[in-house]
Amino acid sequence: LDKLKLSELRLRHNPVLVREKESTARSMIIALVSSLKFLNGTEIVREERNWSELDYYKKHGLEYIKISKLAEPERSEALEVFSSNHRRYLDIVAKLGEAEEA
């Protein structure tokens, strides 16, 4: 979705909304579509985007940390798969910094 450079999106009868609570789905979509300014008619403010991206960062952080500890060439292969499954994660890492174990 991020490649489409959408500025506004309205979702109805979408499978994402069935699996997740509405607020969780909204947060996930905001994190995944960096160009989005409005979702379902509601403006996305900077604070909401920041929290959404942070939630996405934390949700997939442990998986990312495990991959970063692998030796080459396994790390590169695993990171390629991870990046294709979580397309914006590395952009968010560039913004927030490398994830660390707590």
Side-chain angles (χ1 to χ4, degrees), residues 31-67:
L32 293 174
V33 186
S34 62
S35 60
L36 208 56
K37 305 291 184 220
F38 291 87
L39 180 57
N40 290 334
T42 304
E43 184 177 9
I44 300 165
V45 296
R46 171 79 0 227
E47 184 175 338
E48 182 179 22
R49 178 165 305 282
N50 290 344
W51 283 112
S52 296
E53 290 176 348
L54 182 60
D55 286 343
Y56 188 74
Y57 177 82
K58 291 188 310 187
K59 181 177 183 176
H60 301 292
L62 289 178
E63 183 181 359
Y64 179 77
I65 289 169
K66 286 179 187 176
I67 291 169

Side-chain angles (χ1 to χ4, degrees), residues 4 6 11-12 25 30-34 38 43 50 53 58 61-62 70-71 73 82-83 85 87 89-90 96 101:
L4 296 175
L6 299 171
L11 298 174
R12 290 190 199 118
I30 291 169
L32 293 174
V33 186
S34 62
F38 291 87
E43 184 177 9
N50 290 344
E53 290 176 348
K58 291 188 310 187
L62 289 178
L70 295 173
F82 178 85
S83 294
N85 291 331
R87 296 195 183 274
Y89 195 83
L90 295 180
L96 300 177
E101 285 185 271

Side-chain angles (χ1 to χ4, degrees), residues 1 4 6 8-33 36 38-42 44:
L1 283 174
L4 296 175
L6 299 171
E8 187 169 342
L9 181 64
R10 290 182 182 269
L11 298 174
R12 290 190 199 118
H13 309 292
N14 189 298
V16 171
L17 300 176
V18 173
R19 291 182 302 193
E20 302 282 352
K21 292 188 297 183
E22 185 177 338
S23 62
T24 302
R26 178 179 173 85
S27 179
M28 181 176 60
I29 292 164
I30 291 169
L32 293 174
V33 186
L36 208 56
F38 291 87
L39 180 57
N40 290 334
T42 304
I44 300 165

